[in-house]
Amino acid sequence: MRQVHHFIDGEHHQTPDARKHDIWNPSTGEVQAQVSLGDSALLDRAVATAKKVQGEWATTNPQKRARVMFAFKELIEANMQELAELLSSEHGKVVDDAKGDVQRGLEVIEYACGIPQVSKGEHTLGAGTGIDVYSMRQPIGIGAGITPFNFPAMIPMWMFGMAIAAGNAFILKPSERDPSVPVRLAELFMEAGAPKGLLQVVHGDKEMVDAILDHPDIAGVSFVGSSDIAHYVYRRGADNGKRVQAMGGAKNHGIVMPDADLDMVVNDLAGAAFGSAGERCMALPVVVPVGADTAERLKDKLIPAIEKLRIGVSNDPDAHYGPVVTPEHKARIEKWIDTAENEGSEVVVDGRGFSLQGHEKGFFVGPTLLDHVTTDMESYKEEIFGPVLQIVRADDFEHAVRLPSEHQYGNGVAIFTRNGHAAREFAARVDVGMVGINVPIPVPVSYHTFGGWKRSAFGDTNQYGTEGLKFWTKVKTVTQRWPDGASDLGGDGSNAFLIPTL
């Protein structure tokens, strides 16, 4: 059986006696590989290697660091198909979706190629009489990333792209459910010219997470996952003196105003709610039609659109989405549908018990539509993370603004309307971190920044863009004055002037 190993000091590191974690093929329901789980001793080795290389990398001028990023970008593009197929085979998302996963990570690498420009400090000439002030951004040292299963290419590149371009070494702990693509990215990064040990991959479960959060030589940790674990990571890391950004769960809402183009809305919802089997923190699992008439018209259009969705194996080019990642996750999603029904939701389209002919053991969940969902239901309060769309009806615009604003999560939200005033008012008032106006999945481009509010994010700094640079660097500010005659030397060659007191 194929074994996935750690990637330390530029080599695959085998741990024959370590605990193993099964890697499923979600389309067939079979175990296709195993990954070794590391411990604190393994992490110590990776950190020691990182320490050896980071100092020299930090003093490498930014244009040379940028050349490595450019070379890495070209290698990602050249190996796009291989990466997408490998990702698809372990995660279950269809290959086109997997290419999107890689592409969105690649866009952050493209931004990181501009590190000479984006990392420039500030300068004030003549802040006082003969006094200049300038600032510089310096790397924090060794960074670590703990990434989820749902974007095994994109989210690691969001993290290590900015961290390494800024002069840090990086240790990545990907999800043990689909770890092969992160290892392949590390191989390609070294092929791009990065020194050995600059980007390393260690595998593990909670034991490895705790080792990262407790290690005294790791200066910063970036995390993406569920909100409860994000909060845990943030608290434990901060208690150990680290800077931490921890992105959590979501329950994104799509507000549909009476004047919206419903055909466009239905098309957008088909992708945003059910694409990648709903396993996205920026999926759109709640639709909020404003007014009873809007709700009925939308529902009538949604039903046939959902029934036309094609569920297939991950390499089916005609499939709209594939299986979910593990049998446990399939069971969890179907349990949430049970809960919603027991709470009083109307199951309009039922995806429970879906079986794909010829792949009966695969982890497939059919698309599900639930209507008359209310805010007191647990199925509304919590993240289902599957191909389930809930309809929560709003009486009017004010009610629609309150729904996402009062929810515990505040990752993303969208409004569909032709009314510019309504859209502007909604964007200004809604208590959510990322807003789409007629855009169902409002993930910002790489030169802006990604981050939610409330229980969707812990920490003060967002992912990638200028916020990412701020997270992975620390600011040093210099105030200087050169007195007259500073270049004069005494006859004995000694410095003939005194440094003045400010």
Side-chain angles (χ1 to χ4, degrees):
M1 181 174 291
R2 180 170 64 91
Q3 301 293 316
V4 179
H5 303 298
H6 312 280
F7 192 78
I8 297 175
D9 199 13
E11 298 178 348
H12 292 274
H13 181 74
Q14 301 184 30
T15 49
D17 299 328
R19 293 176 298 123
K20 306 286 186 181
H21 188 277
D22 290 338
I23 303 170
W24 296 94
N25 180 331
S27 293
T28 66
E30 298 172 345
V31 175
Q32 61 171 308
Q34 289 184 320
V35 60
S36 300
L37 303 180
D39 55 16
S40 59
L42 182 92
L43 180 65
D44 286 341
R45 174 174 176 174
V47 171
T49 300
K51 288 176 70 175
K52 287 190 296 184
V53 72
Q54 191 272 325
E56 183 177 352
W57 180 250
T59 58
T60 299
N61 65 52
Q63 56 266 41
K64 289 184 178 179
R65 282 186 254 135
R67 288 173 195 145
V68 173
M69 305 308 293
F70 271 113
F72 181 56
K73 168 188 175 296
E74 292 174 350
L75 285 169
I76 294 294
E77 291 170 336
N79 292 275
M80 175 70 76
Q81 187 68 28
E82 174 206 342
L83 290 166
E85 290 178 357
L86 181 58
L87 191 160
S88 178
S89 70
E90 292 185 352
H91 176 279
K93 66 176 69 176
V94 297
V95 173
D96 279 350
D97 215 352
K99 287 181 179 178
D101 186 331
V102 179
Q103 179 62 37
R104 290 310 298 260
L106 179 62
E107 290 168 7
V108 173
I109 301 301
E110 290 173 338
Y111 179 80
C113 289
I115 196 66
Q117 170 67 22
V118 301
S119 62
K120 291 191 300 185
E122 299 171 322
H123 187 276
T124 299
L125 181 69
T129 304
I131 296 176
D132 304 328
V133 180
Y134 66 92
S135 65
M136 62 183 80
R137 287 202 165 270
Q138 296 184 323
I140 61 174
I142 300 175
I146 303 168
T147 58
F149 77 86
N150 59 324
F151 284 98
M154 180 185 78
I155 294 177
M157 284 193 276
W158 281 8
M159 295 179 184
F160 73 70
M162 290 306 303
I164 292 176
N168 302 284
F170 198 86
I171 297 171
L172 173 64
K173 193 218 84 69
S175 170
E176 60 275 20
R177 299 177 186 180
D178 46 8
S180 295
V181 165
V183 173
R184 184 68 181 124
L185 291 175
E187 293 173 344
L188 291 173
F189 198 68
M190 199 174 74
E191 188 179 334
K196 292 182 179 180
L198 190 64
L199 173 59
Q200 302 178 93
V201 181
V202 296
H203 305 293
D205 49 17
K206 185 178 183 298
E207 181 179 350
M208 180 60 77
V209 170
D210 287 345
I212 289 171
L213 297 174
D214 294 342
H215 203 290
D217 292 321
I218 294 176
V221 176
S222 183
F223 171 88
V224 176
S226 69
S227 288
D228 288 345
I229 299 177
H231 187 232
Y232 170 83
V233 166
Y234 178 74
R235 290 293 301 272
R236 185 158 180 162
D239 286 346
N240 284 318
K242 305 183 191 310
R243 66 173 56 179
V244 182
Q245 55 178 194
M247 305 300 170
K251 194 78 172 188
N252 305 323
H253 294 57
I255 313 303
V256 181
M257 297 298 291
D259 67 335
D261 181 338
L262 292 189
D263 290 330
M264 182 190 76
V265 170
V266 168
N267 183 66
D268 285 347
L269 286 174
F274 302 108
S276 196
E279 296 172 314
R280 298 188 288 208
C281 69
M282 287 299 286
L284 202 59
V286 178
V287 61
V288 182
V290 177
D293 178 68
T294 307
E296 292 303 323
R297 289 189 295 120
L298 178 64
K299 181 177 174 180
D300 288 344
K301 287 179 176 289
L302 273 172
I303 294 170
I306 291 172
E307 291 175 342
K308 289 177 183 176
L309 291 174
R310 178 186 173 103
I311 301 93
V313 294
S314 59
N315 60 358
D316 180 353
D318 297 321
H320 292 100
Y321 72 85
V324 298
V325 68
T326 63
E328 294 82 8
H329 193 53
K330 170 183 166 69
R332 178 181 178 274
I333 294 166
E334 293 187 337
K335 186 176 180 180
W336 271 121
I337 300 171
D338 293 341
T339 298
E341 184 176 35
N342 293 335
E343 290 176 322
S345 296
E346 177 192 354
V347 182
V348 181
V349 181
D350 194 345
R352 291 171 292 188
F354 179 89
S355 179
L356 185 66
Q357 186 175 2
H359 298 274
E360 288 79 8
K361 293 183 180 180
F363 313 140
F364 297 95
V365 180
T368 298
L369 178 64
L370 303 171
D371 195 6
H372 299 290
V373 176
T374 58
T375 58
D376 60 333
M377 295 179 179
E378 290 301 312
S379 59
Y380 168 76
K381 295 176 184 177
E382 300 297 335
E383 186 176 36
I384 296 176
F385 219 61
V388 180
L389 177 61
Q390 297 174 290
I391 299 175
V392 180
R393 299 177 178 224
D395 299 328
D396 52 29
F397 178 78
E398 292 297 327
H399 187 193
V401 174
R402 288 200 309 272
L403 285 168
S405 297
E406 294 175 356
H407 202 280
Q408 64 170 328
Y409 298 120
N411 212 39
V413 69
I415 184 170
F416 299 92
T417 182
R418 292 183 173 94
N419 187 316
H421 174 73
R424 184 177 186 273
E425 187 77 3
F426 181 82
R429 290 172 52 192
V430 70
D431 191 17
V432 174
M434 291 172 283
V435 181
I437 298 173
N438 297 313
V439 175
I441 302 179
V443 177
V445 292
S446 62
Y447 42 90
H448 283 264
T449 187
F450 179 100
W453 291 358
K454 296 177 286 189
R455 292 196 75 242
S456 291
F458 300 90
D460 298 326
T461 310
N462 288 347
Q463 298 264 0
Y464 65 74
T466 55
E467 289 281 292
L469 178 70
K470 289 177 182 177
F471 182 78
W472 295 113
T473 58
K474 51 192 176 184
V475 178
K476 180 181 289 182
T477 305
V478 179
T479 303
Q480 67 178 14
R481 181 171 69 180
W482 299 105
D484 291 342
S487 60
D488 295 338
L489 295 176
D492 58 359
S494 62
N495 203 326
F497 63 88
L498 298 176
I499 302 299
T501 301
L502 294 178

